[in-house]
């Protein structure tokens, strides 16, 4: 079995929990409170911003044939930030000066530390796991959301065909990298795949529960 298929199989219970997350169900069903969705928007805007230096940090150790795809991804992330800015302006959400939530801060540090300290294959695993998670999560939302929803542009962005093709490309490339990897490296790739899925679940959980840092909320 390919690396990606067996990674997904290994984390199946976690993966199913992620896709069953109430944030996704409530967004699909149109019952998500505006302020809850706004928390996700504010936090994910910071996450996508940080994903740009993450990709950039992967490039020095990337094989030559990955340079242009990574550069294209950086450009795509910059366009994604414009989508957040457009939606935020339309619905009246402030994206400026918002501090990262604890989980978001940790996830961002995890991305940057992985790119800086781990083998390229491990960084690429994290990239694939995060993108695959978002594609499948937003497909859950797409399965029932009113196309007239003010949140529909986000659905189109991550659940659409173009993003799906990009995720398929990442999958094929990652399977190729894993085929060439030794056992120790492949084990680390599995571990980081699972960690990334756990961060994804924690991120939805944070969006639903609020962005305050644990133990710091005013009484
Ligand atoms: C992605 C994201 C997808 N925007 N947010 C989280 C928490 N995980 C994954 O990454 P991108 O940069 O939007 O394609």
């Amino acid at each position: 079995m390919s690396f990606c298929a067996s990674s997904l199989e290994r984390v199946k219970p976690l993966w199913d929990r992620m896709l069953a997350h109430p944030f996704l169900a409530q967004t699909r069903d149109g019952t998500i409170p505006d302020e809850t969705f706004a928390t996700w928007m504010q936090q994910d805007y910071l996450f996508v911003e940080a994903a740009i230096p993450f990709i950039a940090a992967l490039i020095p150790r990337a094989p030559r044939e990955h340079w242009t795809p990574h550069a294209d991804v950086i450009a795509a992330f910059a366009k994604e930030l414009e989508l957040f800015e457009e939606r935020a302006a339309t619905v009246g959400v402030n994206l400026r000066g918002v501090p990262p939530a604890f989980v978001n801060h940790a996830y961002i540090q995890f991305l940057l530390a992985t790119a800086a300290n781990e083998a390229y294959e491990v960084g690429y695993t994290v990239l694939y796991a995060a993108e695959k998670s978002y594609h499948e999560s937003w497909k859950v939302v797409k399965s029932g959301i009113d196309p007239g929803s003010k949140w529909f542009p986000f659905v189109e962005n991550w659940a659409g065909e173009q993003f799906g093709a990009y995720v398929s490309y990442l999958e094929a490339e990652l399977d190729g990298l894993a085929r060439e990897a030794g056992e120790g490296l492949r084990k680390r790739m599995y571990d980081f795949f699972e960690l990334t899925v756990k961060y994804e679940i924690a991120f939805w959980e944070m969006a639903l529960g609020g962005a305050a840092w644990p133990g710091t909320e005013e009484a």
Side-chain angles (χ1 to χ4, degrees):
M1 199 194 288
S2 74
F3 172 79
C4 292
S6 62
S7 295
L8 288 163
E9 197 180 85
R10 278 166 175 240
V11 302
K12 180 90 170 58
L14 282 174
W15 193 260
D16 290 347
R17 279 184 85 125
M18 176 180 78
L19 297 185
H21 199 279
F23 183 96
L24 301 174
Q26 289 176 26
T27 305
R28 177 194 63 208
D29 299 343
T31 57
I32 193 113
D34 279 357
E35 60 274 24
T36 303
F37 200 87
T39 298
W40 169 79
M41 273 176 83
Q42 289 168 327
Q43 293 298 321
D44 212 48
Y45 183 74
L46 294 173
F47 181 87
V48 174
E49 237 177 20
I52 293 176
F54 166 66
I55 299 289
L58 289 177
I59 291 176
R61 274 176 294 138
R64 169 72 183 91
E65 66 272 18
H66 282 184
W67 291 355
T68 305
H70 283 321
D72 292 345
V73 168
I74 290 174
F77 288 179
K79 276 219 87 69
E80 217 169 70
L81 291 174
E82 289 173 16
L83 166 65
F84 278 88
E85 287 156 12
E86 182 278 323
R87 277 299 84 191
T90 304
V91 302
V93 170
N94 168 48
L95 294 178
R96 303 278 158 217
V98 176
F102 182 55
V103 165
N104 196 13
H105 188 266
Y107 196 177
I108 287 168
Q109 297 307 311
F110 168 70
L111 287 185
L112 298 178
T114 301
N117 302 329
E118 299 289 333
Y120 177 71
E121 290 84 345
V122 177
Y124 207 84
T125 301
V126 170
L127 173 62
Y128 167 71
E131 302 290 44
K132 175 75 174 169
S133 293
Y134 248 44
H135 184 50
E136 298 300 332
S137 294
W138 285 96
K139 269 165 59 181
V140 170
V141 178
K142 191 179 187 175
S143 70
I145 194 175
D146 173 1
S149 161
K150 57 194 174 199
W151 310 132
F152 199 72
F154 292 113
V155 177
E156 281 179 310
N157 184 62
W158 287 294
E161 269 177 35
Q162 205 183 341
F163 198 80
Y166 160 58
V167 171
S168 297
Y169 161 79
L170 290 176
E171 187 164 316
E173 291 302 302
L174 183 58
D175 282 337
L177 290 172
R179 266 195 302 275
E180 302 297 317
E183 210 177 305
L185 177 54
R186 206 160 34 239
K187 163 86 171 65
R188 195 132 180 101
M189 293 164 76
Y190 280 129
D191 288 348
F192 276 62
F193 187 93
E194 181 173 334
L195 266 174
T196 307
V197 175
K198 287 178 175 164
Y199 269 118
E200 288 292 329
I201 294 169
F203 202 94
W204 294 128
E205 201 68 13
M206 172 277 296
L208 210 56
W213 281 54
T216 65
E217 236 163 339
E218 282 169 41

